[in-house]
mmCIF file of all heavy atoms in Angstrom:
data_model
loop_
_atom_site.group_PDB
_atom_site.id
_atom_site.type_symbol
_atom_site.label_atom_id
_atom_site.label_comp_id
_atom_site.label_asym_id
_atom_site.label_seq_id
_atom_site.Cartn_x
_atom_site.Cartn_y
_atom_site.Cartn_z
ATOM 1 N N TYR A 879 16.519 18.363 -1.948
ATOM 2 C CA TYR A 879 16.140 16.922 -2.231
ATOM 3 C C TYR A 879 17.275 16.007 -1.681
ATOM 4 O O TYR A 879 17.096 14.928 -1.369
ATOM 5 C CB TYR A 879 15.886 16.723 -3.772
ATOM 6 C CG TYR A 879 14.489 17.157 -4.143
ATOM 7 C CD1 TYR A 879 14.342 18.536 -4.713
ATOM 8 C CD2 TYR A 879 13.312 16.620 -3.746
ATOM 9 C CE1 TYR A 879 13.173 19.054 -5.072
ATOM 10 C CE2 TYR A 879 12.055 17.004 -4.159
ATOM 11 C CZ TYR A 879 11.974 18.341 -4.821
ATOM 12 O OH TYR A 879 10.784 18.762 -5.272
ATOM 13 N N ARG A 911 9.171 9.956 0.864
ATOM 14 C CA ARG A 911 9.700 10.771 -0.248
ATOM 15 C C ARG A 911 8.901 12.107 -0.244
ATOM 16 O O ARG A 911 7.798 12.164 0.001
ATOM 17 C CB ARG A 911 9.456 10.111 -1.534
ATOM 18 C CG ARG A 911 10.131 10.685 -2.843
ATOM 19 C CD ARG A 911 9.643 10.003 -3.962
ATOM 20 N NE ARG A 911 9.873 10.968 -5.101
ATOM 21 C CZ ARG A 911 10.934 10.784 -5.893
ATOM 22 N NH1 ARG A 911 11.845 9.873 -5.857
ATOM 23 N NH2 ARG A 911 10.927 11.861 -6.993
ATOM 24 N N GLU A 913 8.116 15.883 -2.200
ATOM 25 C CA GLU A 913 7.984 16.493 -3.464
ATOM 26 C C GLU A 913 7.365 17.859 -3.241
ATOM 27 O O GLU A 913 6.435 17.992 -2.554
ATOM 28 C CB GLU A 913 7.344 15.585 -4.441
ATOM 29 C CG GLU A 913 7.445 16.046 -5.778
ATOM 30 C CD GLU A 913 8.833 16.011 -6.421
ATOM 31 O OE1 GLU A 913 9.419 14.926 -6.564
ATOM 32 O OE2 GLU A 913 9.501 17.100 -6.438
ATOM 33 N N ALA A 916 3.685 21.485 -6.523
ATOM 34 C CA ALA A 916 3.372 21.795 -7.893
ATOM 35 C C ALA A 916 3.904 20.559 -8.709
ATOM 36 O O ALA A 916 3.249 20.127 -9.749
ATOM 37 C CB ALA A 916 3.910 23.040 -8.347
ATOM 38 N N ASN A 917 5.073 20.088 -8.350
ATOM 39 C CA ASN A 917 5.668 18.946 -9.023
ATOM 40 C C ASN A 917 4.856 17.668 -8.800
ATOM 41 O O ASN A 917 4.610 16.805 -9.791
ATOM 42 C CB ASN A 917 7.020 18.568 -8.483
ATOM 43 C CG ASN A 917 8.147 19.633 -8.882
ATOM 44 O OD1 ASN A 917 7.900 20.418 -9.740
ATOM 45 N ND2 ASN A 917 9.330 19.404 -8.272
ATOM 46 N N ALA A 918 4.273 17.515 -7.629
ATOM 47 C CA ALA A 918 3.476 16.303 -7.290
ATOM 48 C C ALA A 918 2.147 16.394 -8.029
ATOM 49 O O ALA A 918 1.766 15.343 -8.510
ATOM 50 C CB ALA A 918 3.161 16.306 -5.762
ATOM 51 N N ALA A 920 1.745 17.926 -10.899
ATOM 52 C CA ALA A 920 2.083 17.647 -12.330
ATOM 53 C C ALA A 920 2.226 16.160 -12.630
ATOM 54 O O ALA A 920 1.635 15.666 -13.571
ATOM 55 C CB ALA A 920 3.312 18.449 -12.703
ATOM 56 N N LEU A 921 2.860 15.420 -11.586
ATOM 57 C CA LEU A 921 3.061 14.023 -11.693
ATOM 58 C C LEU A 921 1.466 13.394 -11.809
ATOM 59 O O LEU A 921 1.349 12.429 -12.594
ATOM 60 C CB LEU A 921 3.736 13.446 -10.556
ATOM 61 C CG LEU A 921 5.296 13.421 -10.628
ATOM 62 C CD1 LEU A 921 5.886 12.907 -9.217
ATOM 63 C CD2 LEU A 921 5.747 12.448 -11.783
ATOM 64 N N TRP A 924 -0.321 14.121 -14.980
ATOM 65 C CA TRP A 924 0.400 13.384 -16.135
ATOM 66 C C TRP A 924 0.044 11.910 -16.122
ATOM 67 O O TRP A 924 -0.379 11.365 -17.098
ATOM 68 C CB TRP A 924 1.839 13.600 -15.986
ATOM 69 C CG TRP A 924 2.683 12.975 -16.960
ATOM 70 C CD1 TRP A 924 2.692 12.875 -18.364
ATOM 71 C CD2 TRP A 924 3.906 12.061 -16.698
ATOM 72 N NE1 TRP A 924 3.660 12.197 -18.895
ATOM 73 C CE2 TRP A 924 4.377 11.701 -17.911
ATOM 74 C CE3 TRP A 924 4.641 11.909 -15.452
ATOM 75 C CZ2 TRP A 924 5.560 10.989 -18.032
ATOM 76 C CZ3 TRP A 924 5.802 11.098 -15.643
ATOM 77 C CH2 TRP A 924 6.303 10.740 -16.925
ATOM 78 N N GLY A 947 4.610 22.950 -12.239
ATOM 79 C CA GLY A 947 5.229 21.607 -12.251
ATOM 80 C C GLY A 947 5.398 21.226 -13.727
ATOM 81 O O GLY A 947 4.559 21.459 -14.559
ATOM 82 N N LEU A 948 6.673 20.619 -14.031
ATOM 83 C CA LEU A 948 6.945 20.382 -15.305
ATOM 84 C C LEU A 948 7.312 18.961 -15.581
ATOM 85 O O LEU A 948 8.042 18.359 -14.930
ATOM 86 C CB LEU A 948 8.223 21.260 -15.889
ATOM 87 C CG LEU A 948 8.272 22.742 -15.606
ATOM 88 C CD1 LEU A 948 9.647 23.391 -15.839
ATOM 89 C CD2 LEU A 948 7.173 23.439 -16.265
ATOM 90 N N ILE A 949 6.616 18.420 -16.658
ATOM 91 C CA ILE A 949 6.942 17.152 -17.146
ATOM 92 C C ILE A 949 7.556 17.431 -18.539
ATOM 93 O O ILE A 949 6.952 17.929 -19.472
ATOM 94 C CB ILE A 949 5.800 16.180 -17.243
ATOM 95 C CG1 ILE A 949 4.983 16.031 -15.967
ATOM 96 C CG2 ILE A 949 6.270 14.791 -17.781
ATOM 97 C CD1 ILE A 949 5.720 15.320 -14.961
ATOM 98 N N LEU A 950 8.840 17.102 -18.708
ATOM 99 C CA LEU A 950 9.639 17.381 -20.029
ATOM 100 C C LEU A 950 10.272 16.152 -20.433
ATOM 101 O O LEU A 950 10.953 15.393 -19.730
ATOM 102 C CB LEU A 950 10.633 18.359 -19.795
ATOM 103 C CG LEU A 950 10.142 19.725 -19.284
ATOM 104 C CD1 LEU A 950 11.317 20.722 -18.979
ATOM 105 C CD2 LEU A 950 9.054 20.434 -20.201
ATOM 106 N N GLY A 952 8.923 13.256 -20.912
ATOM 107 C CA GLY A 952 8.488 12.067 -20.292
ATOM 108 C C GLY A 952 9.010 11.836 -19.021
ATOM 109 O O GLY A 952 8.958 10.722 -18.266
ATOM 110 N N ARG A 953 9.579 12.874 -18.300
ATOM 111 C CA ARG A 953 9.895 12.831 -16.861
ATOM 112 C C ARG A 953 9.812 14.156 -16.133
ATOM 113 O O ARG A 953 9.782 15.112 -16.777
ATOM 114 C CB ARG A 953 11.358 12.290 -16.685
ATOM 115 C CG ARG A 953 12.450 13.055 -17.389
ATOM 116 C CD ARG A 953 13.695 12.229 -17.390
ATOM 117 N NE ARG A 953 14.241 12.058 -16.023
ATOM 118 C CZ ARG A 953 15.228 12.652 -15.541
ATOM 119 N NH1 ARG A 953 15.911 13.683 -16.331
ATOM 120 N NH2 ARG A 953 15.601 12.641 -14.307
ATOM 121 N N LEU A 954 9.645 14.086 -14.774
ATOM 122 C CA LEU A 954 9.598 15.260 -13.903
ATOM 123 C C LEU A 954 10.961 16.037 -14.139
ATOM 124 O O LEU A 954 11.936 15.420 -13.902
ATOM 125 C CB LEU A 954 9.209 14.809 -12.609
ATOM 126 C CG LEU A 954 9.202 16.037 -11.452
ATOM 127 C CD1 LEU A 954 7.919 16.816 -11.871
ATOM 128 C CD2 LEU A 954 9.094 15.366 -10.097
ATOM 129 N N HIS A 955 10.712 17.363 -14.297
ATOM 130 C CA HIS A 955 11.861 18.202 -14.467
ATOM 131 C C HIS A 955 12.016 19.039 -13.163
ATOM 132 O O HIS A 955 11.154 19.823 -12.848
ATOM 133 C CB HIS A 955 11.762 19.104 -15.614
ATOM 134 C CG HIS A 955 12.913 20.159 -15.647
ATOM 135 N ND1 HIS A 955 14.088 19.795 -16.218
ATOM 136 C CD2 HIS A 955 12.925 21.432 -15.320
ATOM 137 C CE1 HIS A 955 14.768 20.727 -16.156
ATOM 138 N NE2 HIS A 955 14.121 21.883 -15.621
ATOM 139 N N ARG A 956 13.030 18.809 -12.412
ATOM 140 C CA ARG A 956 13.239 19.616 -11.100
ATOM 141 C C ARG A 956 14.313 20.690 -11.247
ATOM 142 O O ARG A 956 14.318 21.486 -10.418
ATOM 143 C CB ARG A 956 13.707 18.696 -10.011
ATOM 144 C CG ARG A 956 12.642 17.740 -9.504
ATOM 145 C CD ARG A 956 12.917 17.574 -7.901
ATOM 146 N NE ARG A 956 12.131 16.345 -7.510
ATOM 147 C CZ ARG A 956 12.676 15.142 -7.678
ATOM 148 N NH1 ARG A 956 13.835 14.811 -8.070
ATOM 149 N NH2 ARG A 956 11.916 14.120 -7.012
#
Side-chain angles (χ1 to χ4, degrees):
Y879 290 97
R911 186 187 159 101
E913 194 61 75
N917 288 349
L921 274 174
W924 176 48
L948 308 174
I949 305 292
L950 300 178
R953 55 191 294 259
L954 178 66
H955 176 80
R956 287 211 196 88

